[in-house]
Amino acid sequence: MHFRWSGLLLIALLAFCYLLPSQSAQAERINDFQVDLALSENGLLKVTETIRYDFEKVRRSAIYRRIPVHYKRNGKVAELAVNPLSVKDGTKYAPYSCRLIDGVAVLQIGDGKKPLSGLHIFRIHYDVSGAVNTSSTVPELVWNCLGSGWSCPVDTITVNLHLPPNIDLAAAKTLSYLGSSPVRSNSVGRIVGNIIQFSGSQLHSGQDFSCLATLPPILIQQPSFTDQLYLTLLYWRESLLVPAITFVLLSFLWLIYGRDPISLEATEQWQPPCELTPAELGTLIDEHCDKHDITLTLLDLAARGYLIISEVPHSGLLGRDDKDYCFKKAASPDPERLKPHEVLLLSSMFVANSKTHLSTLRGQYKEHMTEMRNMIYQSLVRDRYFVRLPQKDRNSFIVVGFLILAVGAMLLVTGAHSEGLNKQYGVGFVFSSLMIFIASATMPKRTKKAVTALRQAKTFIEFASSGQPAEFERIAQEEPGAFGRYLPYACVLGCAEKWANHFTGLLEEGPNYFRFDGSDLGPDEESFAKFDSQNFTYGVSLAMAAINLSLDSSVVVSDDLSSGHGHS
């Protein structure tokens, strides 16, 4: 008798242990899973899921809807773009987040602050691009309606497919799959009114449900450029978040630190701003001190009487050049009248004597160029044309840009392995770094004094371009030296040819600081027989281009080659 009762007790305990996990598994379930699929003519699939989820007495911080975005189709791996739009819990919007993990868009509903229990009706709305395969002979829609990530059973699932109005529902071939490969059961969707309906019941946890619709050809069009742009922006909206924040911050910084002041002061004089050297004016225009700006310093010093430039014959470097340029000092550098970069240029050219040649100077100016460039920047800041050193402003933003780019690269590397939002944020950081690089050029800030000087330079350009002939005749009579004096400014402002055209036939003789007759004599020892302002300016332009290319060249002309023009 004791043995029989012990046996019955053992059987009861085993039965209880057997039933316990079954009851636990049944404690949490999806009573009903409804899916509305609305397919548009451009292939965009709008998905609305209504999930009746019964937690019963289980308390969870969140649930996870796993949407497969990678699957094989015709031997190729297709990728969908899933764009969550909204999630509701009952009638209220619910917090959610979405990230890509191993080919699955994981939609987390709930933030852990408020536990989920009892009966909830979740309504999820999202768009999908790429769900229709248009590369095959006929358009084909394949959609995994449930996914295989649910850890609880699903009592019933209903899928309503809404096709575009131009498609005959009877012409669409449909099929639904219940279960996972290799064991699958399938059934044909049925037409109910103006929709195609698929349904299934008693799905176990982890069991998926998919539907397929083969559509008539040519009725589903490829997305237009506007549609593709819209879908791309939706898919990469996380990537756009960082650039959007960057744009706002850069705009704020530019308004506060980079925007030039507004000056409404009018200028009536046509002359360029001669308080600035051509090198300084060229730097002020584009906020960069280019080599061309520094080279024009030679022409300006010649125009101001400190230098004479002569074109002389030359046997050429390895026989390829037939011209050289002789520089003769006409006046000693005056630190009180010259800018620091001008003093450095003259003192470095004439070290042991008062005459030198371009072939001799070639290759000796790399370090001087850097020093003169820094002097020009510092002079413009000291004289209050720039608020700060432009190169420091640019360099600061470039350094920040490279740091942002490094962060983006790291996120892209980690995102390539994890397929989470790191990839999208990585793209966003890369775009932000490019924005910072571009913005670095706009951050140097000019002063009101600089804006006035630039307006004066613009007035000179307009005068050189469209001035009246009578005005130039008056200048040629009253200020015959104006042509040569302002020619360096016309060169740096890009209007030298127009400036020269206006003086055609108006001057009996031209500037004596630049010679093309092969003479390197003093200014009073020879003059031009006839002056042509256009030919003169063309020759000066060619000479300055040659000097610009050669002055800091790494090629140094040897003594035997440089002696071909007969230095004295």
Side-chain angles (χ1 to χ4, degrees), residues 184-225:
R184 281 184 180 270
S185 60
N186 56 68
S187 62
V188 177
R190 60 193 182 96
I191 299 176
V192 180
N194 60 348
I195 64 173
I196 299 176
Q197 191 174 85
F198 308 88
S199 60
S201 61
Q202 303 304 317
L203 281 73
H204 303 295
S205 59
Q207 194 174 21
D208 59 16
F209 184 85
S210 303
C211 64
L212 180 147
T214 302
L215 309 174
I218 76 172
L219 294 178
I220 297 296
Q221 303 296 327
Q222 290 284 359
S224 65
F225 173 78

mmCIF file of all heavy atoms in Angstrom, residues 184-225:
data_model
loop_
_atom_site.group_PDB
_atom_site.id
_atom_site.type_symbol
_atom_site.label_atom_id
_atom_site.label_comp_id
_atom_site.label_asym_id
_atom_site.label_seq_id
_atom_site.Cartn_x
_atom_site.Cartn_y
_atom_site.Cartn_z
ATOM 1 N N ARG A 184 7.354 22.825 -45.450
ATOM 2 C CA ARG A 184 6.516 23.981 -45.718
ATOM 3 C C ARG A 184 5.136 23.525 -46.166
ATOM 4 O O ARG A 184 5.003 22.528 -46.879
ATOM 5 C CB ARG A 184 7.106 24.854 -46.832
ATOM 6 C CG ARG A 184 8.243 25.751 -46.389
ATOM 7 C CD ARG A 184 8.671 26.633 -47.556
ATOM 8 N NE ARG A 184 9.765 27.519 -47.184
ATOM 9 C CZ ARG A 184 9.604 28.722 -46.681
ATOM 10 N NH1 ARG A 184 8.371 29.170 -46.470
ATOM 11 N NH2 ARG A 184 10.627 29.479 -46.382
ATOM 12 N N SER A 185 4.143 24.252 -45.733
ATOM 13 C CA SER A 185 2.804 24.051 -46.273
ATOM 14 C C SER A 185 2.392 25.358 -46.929
ATOM 15 O O SER A 185 2.738 26.431 -46.460
ATOM 16 C CB SER A 185 1.811 23.690 -45.165
ATOM 17 O OG SER A 185 1.741 24.725 -44.210
ATOM 18 N N ASN A 186 1.712 25.268 -48.067
ATOM 19 C CA ASN A 186 1.373 26.486 -48.774
ATOM 20 C C ASN A 186 -0.076 26.462 -49.213
ATOM 21 O O ASN A 186 -0.709 25.409 -49.278
ATOM 22 C CB ASN A 186 2.297 26.689 -49.980
ATOM 23 C CG ASN A 186 2.276 25.494 -50.917
ATOM 24 O OD1 ASN A 186 1.271 25.223 -51.564
ATOM 25 N ND2 ASN A 186 3.392 24.763 -50.986
ATOM 26 N N SER A 187 -0.573 27.667 -49.506
ATOM 27 C CA SER A 187 -1.938 27.807 -49.987
ATOM 28 C C SER A 187 -2.024 29.054 -50.849
ATOM 29 O O SER A 187 -1.194 29.963 -50.724
ATOM 30 C CB SER A 187 -2.926 27.900 -48.814
ATOM 31 O OG SER A 187 -2.643 29.054 -48.039
ATOM 32 N N VAL A 188 -3.011 29.101 -51.704
ATOM 33 C CA VAL A 188 -3.188 30.231 -52.606
ATOM 34 C C VAL A 188 -4.006 31.307 -51.898
ATOM 35 O O VAL A 188 -4.965 31.006 -51.189
ATOM 36 C CB VAL A 188 -3.887 29.779 -53.901
ATOM 37 C CG1 VAL A 188 -4.139 30.975 -54.828
ATOM 38 C CG2 VAL A 188 -3.051 28.712 -54.608
ATOM 39 N N GLY A 189 -3.611 32.574 -52.102
ATOM 40 C CA GLY A 189 -4.368 33.660 -51.525
ATOM 41 C C GLY A 189 -5.721 33.789 -52.203
ATOM 42 O O GLY A 189 -5.893 33.448 -53.381
ATOM 43 N N ARG A 190 -6.699 34.286 -51.481
ATOM 44 C CA ARG A 190 -8.046 34.406 -52.041
ATOM 45 C C ARG A 190 -8.415 35.877 -52.183
ATOM 46 O O ARG A 190 -7.981 36.716 -51.403
ATOM 47 C CB ARG A 190 -9.051 33.680 -51.164
ATOM 48 C CG ARG A 190 -9.158 34.164 -49.749
ATOM 49 C CD ARG A 190 -9.933 33.188 -48.871
ATOM 50 N NE ARG A 190 -10.072 33.681 -47.501
ATOM 51 C CZ ARG A 190 -11.120 34.334 -47.051
ATOM 52 N NH1 ARG A 190 -12.150 34.569 -47.870
ATOM 53 N NH2 ARG A 190 -11.184 34.751 -45.807
ATOM 54 N N ILE A 191 -9.181 36.155 -53.196
ATOM 55 C CA ILE A 191 -9.616 37.522 -53.472
ATOM 56 C C ILE A 191 -10.841 37.837 -52.631
ATOM 57 O O ILE A 191 -11.854 37.132 -52.696
ATOM 58 C CB ILE A 191 -9.926 37.705 -54.972
ATOM 59 C CG1 ILE A 191 -8.663 37.439 -55.810
ATOM 60 C CG2 ILE A 191 -10.454 39.106 -55.242
ATOM 61 C CD1 ILE A 191 -8.903 37.504 -57.300
ATOM 62 N N VAL A 192 -10.742 38.898 -51.838
ATOM 63 C CA VAL A 192 -11.843 39.353 -51.000
ATOM 64 C C VAL A 192 -12.067 40.828 -51.325
ATOM 65 O O VAL A 192 -11.311 41.701 -50.880
ATOM 66 C CB VAL A 192 -11.551 39.158 -49.501
ATOM 67 C CG1 VAL A 192 -12.723 39.646 -48.666
ATOM 68 C CG2 VAL A 192 -11.232 37.691 -49.198
ATOM 69 N N GLY A 193 -13.089 41.098 -52.098
ATOM 70 C CA GLY A 193 -13.335 42.483 -52.521
ATOM 71 C C GLY A 193 -12.220 42.958 -53.428
ATOM 72 O O GLY A 193 -11.950 42.371 -54.479
ATOM 73 N N ASN A 194 -11.538 44.003 -53.018
ATOM 74 C CA ASN A 194 -10.446 44.548 -53.823
ATOM 75 C C ASN A 194 -9.079 44.251 -53.220
ATOM 76 O O ASN A 194 -8.117 44.980 -53.454
ATOM 77 C CB ASN A 194 -10.617 46.059 -53.982
ATOM 78 C CG ASN A 194 -10.618 46.777 -52.651
ATOM 79 O OD1 ASN A 194 -10.711 46.152 -51.605
ATOM 80 N ND2 ASN A 194 -10.498 48.104 -52.691
ATOM 81 N N ILE A 195 -8.983 43.193 -52.426
ATOM 82 C CA ILE A 195 -7.705 42.795 -51.819
ATOM 83 C C ILE A 195 -7.484 41.307 -52.044
ATOM 84 O O ILE A 195 -8.407 40.559 -52.375
ATOM 85 C CB ILE A 195 -7.674 43.100 -50.308
ATOM 86 C CG1 ILE A 195 -8.727 42.274 -49.568
ATOM 87 C CG2 ILE A 195 -7.839 44.586 -50.040
ATOM 88 C CD1 ILE A 195 -8.633 42.390 -48.057
ATOM 89 N N ILE A 196 -6.234 40.906 -51.882
ATOM 90 C CA ILE A 196 -5.871 39.488 -51.861
ATOM 91 C C ILE A 196 -5.514 39.143 -50.429
ATOM 92 O O ILE A 196 -4.679 39.828 -49.810
ATOM 93 C CB ILE A 196 -4.698 39.196 -52.808
ATOM 94 C CG1 ILE A 196 -5.074 39.542 -54.248
ATOM 95 C CG2 ILE A 196 -4.287 37.739 -52.706
ATOM 96 C CD1 ILE A 196 -3.940 39.364 -55.234
ATOM 97 N N GLN A 197 -6.115 38.109 -49.907
ATOM 98 C CA GLN A 197 -5.976 37.796 -48.497
ATOM 99 C C GLN A 197 -5.287 36.450 -48.316
ATOM 100 O O GLN A 197 -5.581 35.474 -49.003
ATOM 101 C CB GLN A 197 -7.346 37.768 -47.818
ATOM 102 C CG GLN A 197 -7.302 37.701 -46.300
ATOM 103 C CD GLN A 197 -8.678 37.825 -45.674
ATOM 104 O OE1 GLN A 197 -9.378 36.820 -45.559
ATOM 105 N NE2 GLN A 197 -9.057 39.043 -45.290
ATOM 106 N N PHE A 198 -4.356 36.431 -47.359
ATOM 107 C CA PHE A 198 -3.676 35.209 -46.949
ATOM 108 C C PHE A 198 -3.938 35.040 -45.455
ATOM 109 O O PHE A 198 -4.073 36.017 -44.719
ATOM 110 C CB PHE A 198 -2.165 35.297 -47.191
ATOM 111 C CG PHE A 198 -1.779 35.699 -48.588
ATOM 112 C CD1 PHE A 198 -1.650 37.049 -48.915
ATOM 113 C CD2 PHE A 198 -1.554 34.751 -49.554
ATOM 114 C CE1 PHE A 198 -1.286 37.426 -50.194
ATOM 115 C CE2 PHE A 198 -1.187 35.129 -50.839
ATOM 116 C CZ PHE A 198 -1.056 36.461 -51.156
ATOM 117 N N SER A 199 -3.962 33.802 -44.998
ATOM 118 C CA SER A 199 -4.226 33.580 -43.577
ATOM 119 C C SER A 199 -3.574 32.289 -43.120
ATOM 120 O O SER A 199 -3.280 31.392 -43.923
ATOM 121 C CB SER A 199 -5.731 33.532 -43.307
ATOM 122 O OG SER A 199 -6.337 32.484 -44.036
ATOM 123 N N GLY A 200 -3.347 32.221 -41.826
ATOM 124 C CA GLY A 200 -2.789 31.026 -41.210
ATOM 125 C C GLY A 200 -3.188 30.996 -39.752
ATOM 126 O O GLY A 200 -3.645 31.999 -39.189
ATOM 127 N N SER A 201 -3.038 29.844 -39.116
ATOM 128 C CA SER A 201 -3.432 29.719 -37.712
ATOM 129 C C SER A 201 -2.545 28.727 -36.998
ATOM 130 O O SER A 201 -1.896 27.872 -37.630
ATOM 131 C CB SER A 201 -4.901 29.299 -37.600
ATOM 132 O OG SER A 201 -5.099 28.045 -38.224
ATOM 133 N N GLN A 202 -2.555 28.866 -35.673
ATOM 134 C CA GLN A 202 -1.821 27.971 -34.782
ATOM 135 C C GLN A 202 -0.339 27.850 -35.176
ATOM 136 O O GLN A 202 0.189 26.777 -35.411
ATOM 137 C CB GLN A 202 -2.480 26.592 -34.755
ATOM 138 C CG GLN A 202 -3.933 26.601 -34.343
ATOM 139 C CD GLN A 202 -4.147 27.274 -32.978
ATOM 140 O OE1 GLN A 202 -3.378 27.030 -32.048
ATOM 141 N NE2 GLN A 202 -5.177 28.116 -32.890
ATOM 142 N N LEU A 203 0.318 28.996 -35.246
ATOM 143 C CA LEU A 203 1.750 29.010 -35.558
ATOM 144 C C LEU A 203 2.541 28.851 -34.269
ATOM 145 O O LEU A 203 2.240 29.470 -33.250
ATOM 146 C CB LEU A 203 2.155 30.323 -36.245
ATOM 147 C CG LEU A 203 1.846 30.448 -37.741
ATOM 148 C CD1 LEU A 203 0.367 30.650 -37.993
ATOM 149 C CD2 LEU A 203 2.654 31.600 -38.334
ATOM 150 N N HIS A 204 3.540 28.004 -34.319
ATOM 151 C CA HIS A 204 4.401 27.798 -33.156
ATOM 152 C C HIS A 204 5.425 28.924 -33.057
ATOM 153 O O HIS A 204 5.662 29.671 -34.009
ATOM 154 C CB HIS A 204 5.105 26.443 -33.254
ATOM 155 C CG HIS A 204 4.164 25.291 -33.394
ATOM 156 N ND1 HIS A 204 3.266 24.931 -32.411
ATOM 157 C CD2 HIS A 204 3.988 24.405 -34.417
ATOM 158 C CE1 HIS A 204 2.572 23.882 -32.805
ATOM 159 N NE2 HIS A 204 2.983 23.541 -34.030
ATOM 160 N N SER A 205 6.035 29.055 -31.913
ATOM 161 C CA SER A 205 7.086 30.066 -31.739
ATOM 162 C C SER A 205 8.225 29.781 -32.720
ATOM 163 O O SER A 205 8.643 28.635 -32.895
ATOM 164 C CB SER A 205 7.615 30.050 -30.300
ATOM 165 O OG SER A 205 8.134 28.776 -29.976
ATOM 166 N N GLY A 206 8.695 30.827 -33.391
ATOM 167 C CA GLY A 206 9.776 30.689 -34.360
ATOM 168 C C GLY A 206 9.315 30.291 -35.743
ATOM 169 O O GLY A 206 10.139 30.220 -36.665
ATOM 170 N N GLN A 207 8.050 30.042 -35.942
ATOM 171 C CA GLN A 207 7.530 29.649 -37.244
ATOM 172 C C GLN A 207 7.189 30.905 -38.051
ATOM 173 O O GLN A 207 6.593 31.832 -37.530
ATOM 174 C CB GLN A 207 6.283 28.771 -37.074
ATOM 175 C CG GLN A 207 5.849 28.039 -38.327
ATOM 176 C CD GLN A 207 4.703 27.081 -38.057
ATOM 177 O OE1 GLN A 207 3.987 27.233 -37.060
ATOM 178 N NE2 GLN A 207 4.536 26.089 -38.901
ATOM 179 N N ASP A 208 7.588 30.944 -39.329
ATOM 180 C CA ASP A 208 7.341 32.139 -40.120
ATOM 181 C C ASP A 208 6.196 31.936 -41.099
ATOM 182 O O ASP A 208 5.705 30.829 -41.302
ATOM 183 C CB ASP A 208 8.611 32.593 -40.863
ATOM 184 C CG ASP A 208 9.149 31.515 -41.790
ATOM 185 O OD1 ASP A 208 8.413 30.562 -42.094
ATOM 186 O OD2 ASP A 208 10.319 31.627 -42.223
ATOM 187 N N PHE A 209 5.768 33.052 -41.675
ATOM 188 C CA PHE A 209 4.666 33.033 -42.628
ATOM 189 C C PHE A 209 5.007 34.035 -43.737
ATOM 190 O O PHE A 209 5.199 35.224 -43.471
ATOM 191 C CB PHE A 209 3.350 33.432 -41.943
ATOM 192 C CG PHE A 209 2.143 33.351 -42.833
ATOM 193 C CD1 PHE A 209 1.461 32.148 -43.000
ATOM 194 C CD2 PHE A 209 1.673 34.463 -43.512
ATOM 195 C CE1 PHE A 209 0.336 32.075 -43.810
ATOM 196 C CE2 PHE A 209 0.567 34.408 -44.322
ATOM 197 C CZ PHE A 209 -0.118 33.209 -44.479
ATOM 198 N N SER A 210 5.113 33.540 -44.970
ATOM 199 C CA SER A 210 5.509 34.382 -46.097
ATOM 200 C C SER A 210 4.451 34.296 -47.186
ATOM 201 O O SER A 210 3.724 33.311 -47.295
ATOM 202 C CB SER A 210 6.864 33.934 -46.672
ATOM 203 O OG SER A 210 7.867 33.959 -45.683
ATOM 204 N N CYS A 211 4.378 35.340 -47.990
ATOM 205 C CA CYS A 211 3.466 35.340 -49.133
ATOM 206 C C CYS A 211 4.203 35.811 -50.371
ATOM 207 O O CYS A 211 5.189 36.566 -50.287
ATOM 208 C CB CYS A 211 2.240 36.201 -48.859
ATOM 209 S SG CYS A 211 2.589 37.945 -48.622
ATOM 210 N N LEU A 212 3.755 35.347 -51.517
ATOM 211 C CA LEU A 212 4.365 35.667 -52.801
ATOM 212 C C LEU A 212 3.268 36.045 -53.777
ATOM 213 O O LEU A 212 2.223 35.383 -53.842
ATOM 214 C CB LEU A 212 5.174 34.479 -53.330
ATOM 215 C CG LEU A 212 5.889 34.628 -54.679
ATOM 216 C CD1 LEU A 212 7.170 33.824 -54.670
ATOM 217 C CD2 LEU A 212 4.998 34.153 -55.842
ATOM 218 N N ALA A 213 3.507 37.107 -54.551
ATOM 219 C CA ALA A 213 2.549 37.523 -55.578
ATOM 220 C C ALA A 213 3.319 37.830 -56.853
ATOM 221 O O ALA A 213 4.189 38.713 -56.858
ATOM 222 C CB ALA A 213 1.761 38.741 -55.120
ATOM 223 N N THR A 214 3.033 37.058 -57.901
ATOM 224 C CA THR A 214 3.615 37.313 -59.215
ATOM 225 C C THR A 214 2.654 38.207 -59.984
ATOM 226 O O THR A 214 1.491 37.855 -60.203
ATOM 227 C CB THR A 214 3.842 35.994 -59.970
ATOM 228 O OG1 THR A 214 4.708 35.154 -59.194
ATOM 229 C CG2 THR A 214 4.500 36.259 -61.311
ATOM 230 N N LEU A 215 3.150 39.378 -60.406
ATOM 231 C CA LEU A 215 2.286 40.417 -60.952
ATOM 232 C C LEU A 215 2.428 40.496 -62.469
ATOM 233 O O LEU A 215 3.457 40.081 -63.033
ATOM 234 C CB LEU A 215 2.637 41.763 -60.326
ATOM 235 C CG LEU A 215 2.693 41.782 -58.790
ATOM 236 C CD1 LEU A 215 3.197 43.126 -58.296
ATOM 237 C CD2 LEU A 215 1.329 41.463 -58.204
ATOM 238 N N PRO A 216 1.428 41.026 -63.152
ATOM 239 C CA PRO A 216 1.537 41.206 -64.600
ATOM 240 C C PRO A 216 2.716 42.106 -64.943
ATOM 241 O O PRO A 216 3.017 43.065 -64.211
ATOM 242 C CB PRO A 216 0.205 41.860 -64.985
ATOM 243 C CG PRO A 216 -0.716 41.520 -63.882
ATOM 244 C CD PRO A 216 0.110 41.437 -62.644
ATOM 245 N N PRO A 217 3.406 41.850 -66.048
ATOM 246 C CA PRO A 217 4.574 42.668 -66.413
ATOM 247 C C PRO A 217 4.172 44.092 -66.770
ATOM 248 O O PRO A 217 3.025 44.382 -67.093
ATOM 249 C CB PRO A 217 5.162 41.931 -67.616
ATOM 250 C CG PRO A 217 4.010 41.158 -68.189
ATOM 251 C CD PRO A 217 3.149 40.777 -67.016
ATOM 252 N N ILE A 218 5.182 44.984 -66.714
ATOM 253 C CA ILE A 218 5.169 46.408 -67.088
ATOM 254 C C ILE A 218 4.201 47.252 -66.273
ATOM 255 O O ILE A 218 4.118 48.462 -66.478
ATOM 256 C CB ILE A 218 4.874 46.621 -68.596
ATOM 257 C CG1 ILE A 218 3.386 46.417 -68.892
ATOM 258 C CG2 ILE A 218 5.766 45.772 -69.462
ATOM 259 C CD1 ILE A 218 2.975 46.800 -70.293
ATOM 260 N N LEU A 219 3.441 46.656 -65.370
ATOM 261 C CA LEU A 219 2.509 47.455 -64.585
ATOM 262 C C LEU A 219 3.164 48.055 -63.337
ATOM 263 O O LEU A 219 2.708 49.058 -62.829
ATOM 264 C CB LEU A 219 1.288 46.620 -64.189
ATOM 265 C CG LEU A 219 0.400 46.191 -65.363
ATOM 266 C CD1 LEU A 219 -0.746 45.336 -64.860
ATOM 267 C CD2 LEU A 219 -0.136 47.404 -66.103
ATOM 268 N N ILE A 220 4.208 47.396 -62.850
ATOM 269 C CA ILE A 220 4.973 47.944 -61.732
ATOM 270 C C ILE A 220 6.196 48.644 -62.308
ATOM 271 O O ILE A 220 7.062 48.009 -62.919
ATOM 272 C CB ILE A 220 5.389 46.839 -60.742
ATOM 273 C CG1 ILE A 220 4.158 46.197 -60.135
ATOM 274 C CG2 ILE A 220 6.277 47.430 -59.656
ATOM 275 C CD1 ILE A 220 3.312 47.132 -59.301
ATOM 276 N N GLN A 221 6.263 49.953 -62.160
ATOM 277 C CA GLN A 221 7.344 50.731 -62.733
ATOM 278 C C GLN A 221 8.513 50.817 -61.758
ATOM 279 O O GLN A 221 8.349 50.684 -60.549
ATOM 280 C CB GLN A 221 6.851 52.147 -63.068
ATOM 281 C CG GLN A 221 5.655 52.179 -64.002
ATOM 282 C CD GLN A 221 5.967 51.613 -65.366
ATOM 283 O OE1 GLN A 221 7.084 51.753 -65.857
ATOM 284 N NE2 GLN A 221 4.980 50.969 -65.979
ATOM 285 N N GLN A 222 9.686 51.063 -62.350
ATOM 286 C CA GLN A 222 10.842 51.332 -61.505
ATOM 287 C C GLN A 222 10.648 52.671 -60.808
ATOM 288 O O GLN A 222 10.052 53.593 -61.375
ATOM 289 C CB GLN A 222 12.124 51.375 -62.358
ATOM 290 C CG GLN A 222 12.543 50.023 -62.894
ATOM 291 C CD GLN A 222 13.182 49.156 -61.827
ATOM 292 O OE1 GLN A 222 13.332 49.585 -60.677
ATOM 293 N NE2 GLN A 222 13.553 47.941 -62.177
ATOM 294 N N PRO A 223 11.102 52.811 -59.564
ATOM 295 C CA PRO A 223 10.955 54.095 -58.864
ATOM 296 C C PRO A 223 11.619 55.229 -59.642
ATOM 297 O O PRO A 223 12.695 55.050 -60.222
ATOM 298 C CB PRO A 223 11.659 53.852 -57.520
ATOM 299 C CG PRO A 223 11.640 52.370 -57.345
ATOM 300 C CD PRO A 223 11.750 51.793 -58.719
ATOM 301 N N SER A 224 10.957 56.369 -59.702
ATOM 302 C CA SER A 224 11.533 57.544 -60.352
ATOM 303 C C SER A 224 12.681 58.089 -59.510
ATOM 304 O O SER A 224 12.912 57.646 -58.380
ATOM 305 C CB SER A 224 10.464 58.625 -60.542
ATOM 306 O OG SER A 224 10.011 59.092 -59.280
ATOM 307 N N PHE A 225 13.380 59.060 -60.066
ATOM 308 C CA PHE A 225 14.497 59.651 -59.320
ATOM 309 C C PHE A 225 14.005 60.272 -58.016
ATOM 310 O O PHE A 225 14.640 60.130 -56.974
ATOM 311 C CB PHE A 225 15.200 60.709 -60.177
ATOM 312 C CG PHE A 225 16.250 61.479 -59.433
ATOM 313 C CD1 PHE A 225 17.497 60.925 -59.196
ATOM 314 C CD2 PHE A 225 15.980 62.759 -58.945
ATOM 315 C CE1 PHE A 225 18.467 61.637 -58.491
ATOM 316 C CE2 PHE A 225 16.934 63.465 -58.242
ATOM 317 C CZ PHE A 225 18.186 62.895 -58.026
#
